[in-house]
Amino acid sequence: MSASDPRQAGAATRAAPPAGPARGADLVAGALVDAGVTRVFALSGNHLMPLFDALVDSPIEIVHVRHEAAAVHMADAWGRLTGEAGVAMVTGGPGHANAVGAFYTALAADSPLVLLSGHAPLSELGRGAFQEMAQADLARPLVKAAWCAQSAQSLGGEVERALGLARAQRPGPVSLSLPSDLLESPAHGAERARRADARNPSLAGQHPDLAARGPALASRDHGSLADDPRLAQCLAALEQARRPLLVAGPAFAPARARARLAQFSDRTAIPALVMESPRGVNDPALGALAEALGLADLVVLLAKPLDFTLRFGGSPTLAPGARVAAIDADEASLARSARVAGARLAAGLRADPWRALDAIEAASRARATDANRAWRDEVARLAAWRPPQWAALASAPGQALHPLELGRAVQRWIDRNPDTVFVCDGGEVGQWTQAAVHAGERLINGVAGAIGAAIPLAIGARAARPGAPVLAVMGDGTFGFHMAEFDTALRHGLPFVAVVGNDSRWNAEYQIQLREYGAGRAHGCELAPGTRYEKVVEALGGHGEYVEDGAGLDAAIERAFASGRPACVNVRVASVAAPVMKHAS
């Protein structure tokens, strides 16, 4: 931080903390500090002001955003990249409502985060309080747990429990609402209450909505897996299988988790893939995945629901005789997968997925024979396959780039800068780019299929990985959701480069209309032609580049990173449908 940094100047003139007993807000701030939280992503508002005041005297930095959903997306990126629970803070009522939509992307990505929302005072509920809203009810379908605090003394423990629950077993978002009168109230006896909370971390019994989901949600331990007959069933199915395939869910998408899956596959010769795309078996990043699934005789689902992404396990996605073993910490998800699998189900195991992976590895090392390695290598070959005709695909000089060429330029940057965090969001442009780009660490909009998160995800990624370049690819539709967050990136010194594939339309929806209804009935998908999005970023103080053909793209990306500022590279791309892999052995 430089001497001229306004944050430093403000810190020098801050008043001393208020005297008197600790407030509820001070307990929340203390719990965050004790948990090791160093940064929160927030948008201020009336109900949250006591907590903002309490954080003035803490070492926690507040990244102050321009929209509440962006705060959640940034916390989502932090959670995925660090494994810690990202923390977002917003005000109550409409602020909370704005934030809730971003939960869906985080929940589908198994991303650990906690949203701390201000809330109307408990003392005024039912009387028409300012911005009174049933906030927990609004959030509950999109999170692991949602509740509203009921006493000032318990606030520190509530925060501790929320952070722990967000990370437990299969990670996910948690929503905790903090009534403003509790934040302002003296918290007498709070340390005693907090110590009691730490000794008894179970949420069941205190919050009925959590108890309904099963008390084990708050625990990392379901007992000894070695003695679980359902594990024995899973191992027996593996023993009988000739071509097993382990498919992991988004919790295994971060680089550290993929490395663990690769280690598992190396030791057991059981091929393992991660599915995190809404395109499912047509995920272009997984090549000929559909063929690999069709060859498997046992599919082991690890924290991966048997859902639309796997076409619900029907044929021909799975071979007629193929069986399914489902492993999940979420009881409801496991039950649904078992119901969808029906007669295909060979085993259903409720367990922490990491412990289950360890147990399967320990029991399956003898499978690492040459024959099984050949099957593992065949799956890897199919996942890496790309149509050979892509090699010759190129746009003529002066023409809009094919999105595949944009992806190739991004890959060339990553090859030169392998520590880059790659962020990708959007419809058809996103799919082409994901097919072309291989990065050590990537964040995508994920199974939720909701576009718009790329810019805040990139800012959150830069906060989580301050020494790494962050390169985000998105369509022009995506750019419009959170373009104001370039202001956030500038104010907080969090530079990244956004590469925008600009085809002047909502192309995914346009392609559906072409396919289903014909060109004569395509409408409602056009954007203004040739919009200069990089000028928006320049006006906010960032760096802008405009690229009309492929000749200048690599140099534009280099200049954008060299600027040291949040940057936009606006690239004119052709409007083409996303790739669908067709492979024949």
Side-chain angles (χ1 to χ4, degrees), residues 208-527:
D209 56 302
L210 296 183
R213 293 171 178 244
L217 265 177
S219 171
R220 297 190 71 86
D221 188 7
H222 288 296
S224 173
L225 269 181
D227 300 328
D228 194 321
R230 296 165 297 181
L231 174 62
Q233 291 175 344
C234 185
L235 295 175
L238 275 168
E239 182 65 27
Q240 296 165 13
R242 293 177 56 245
R243 295 182 303 279
L245 173 58
L246 187 146
V247 178
F252 287 84
R256 63 190 181 279
R258 288 181 183 268
R260 175 68 186 96
L261 282 182
Q263 181 185 64
F264 166 87
S265 190
D266 183 62
R267 291 173 175 174
T268 65
I270 298 172
L273 299 172
V274 178
M275 290 187 71
E276 57 169 339
S277 168
R279 304 286 171 129
V281 298
N282 286 330
D283 179 359
L286 290 176
L289 168 65
E291 182 169 335
L293 283 167
L295 293 172
D297 57 3
L298 175 70
V299 176
V300 180
L301 300 176
L302 185 65
K304 173 71 186 83
L306 186 60
D307 58 10
F308 76 99
T309 62
L310 287 162
R311 295 174 181 162
F312 308 105
S315 298
T317 301
L318 300 188
R323 306 182 76 197
V324 171
I327 302 168
D328 207 317
D330 186 321
E331 187 171 26
S333 179
L334 181 65
R336 187 178 64 193
S337 291
R339 183 173 67 252
V340 172
R344 287 189 185 273
L345 189 70
L349 172 63
R350 187 179 184 206
D352 182 308
W354 296 93
R355 293 181 59 213
L357 191 70
D358 292 342
I360 293 171
E361 180 183 297
S364 302
R365 290 185 181 232
R367 291 190 58 90
T369 64
D370 288 345
N372 290 332
R373 289 191 188 94
W375 161 243
R376 179 199 61 194
D377 294 345
E378 173 65 4
V379 171
R381 183 186 70 81
L382 290 170
W385 180 85
R386 301 293 184 269
Q389 60 268 30
W390 283 11
L393 197 156
S395 301
Q399 289 186 345
L401 273 74
H402 191 286
L404 184 64
E405 296 177 90
L406 186 154
R408 288 172 180 160
V410 169
Q411 185 64 59
R412 289 191 290 271
W413 165 269
I414 292 174
D415 288 344
R416 297 190 299 272
N417 303 273
D419 59 337
T420 297
V421 179
F422 169 58
V423 179
C424 192
D425 181 12
E428 312 305 85
V429 166
Q431 300 309 308
W432 279 106
T433 308
Q434 288 172 43
V437 174
H438 304 277
E441 193 78 83
R442 77 170 196 169
L443 301 175
I444 67 170
N445 56 328
V447 179
I451 69 166
I455 292 171
L457 283 176
I459 296 171
R462 180 67 183 189
R465 297 283 177 84
V470 176
L471 194 160
V473 176
M474 64 201 73
D476 46 353
T478 288
F479 184 86
F481 277 80
H482 289 294
M483 67 176 77
E485 298 305 332
F486 273 91
D487 170 70
T488 302
L490 280 152
R491 284 184 287 106
H492 291 278
L494 298 170
F496 69 99
V497 172
V499 178
V500 180
N502 186 349
D503 62 0
S504 302
R505 61 165 49 114
W506 300 97
N507 193 31
E509 289 69 26
Y510 177 73
Q511 295 297 331
I512 292 172
Q513 291 180 341
L514 286 184
R515 185 173 65 249
E516 301 293 332
Y517 313 119
R521 300 186 66 80
H523 68 105
C525 297
E526 301 304 316
L527 299 174

Side-chain angles (χ1 to χ4, degrees), residues 120-145:
L122 289 184
S123 60
E124 297 179 4
L125 296 187
R127 300 165 58 194
F130 175 60
Q131 296 183 342
E132 181 175 345
M133 181 185 291
Q135 293 182 186
D137 291 345
L138 183 65
R140 191 167 291 121
L142 301 175
V143 295
K144 289 180 73 174

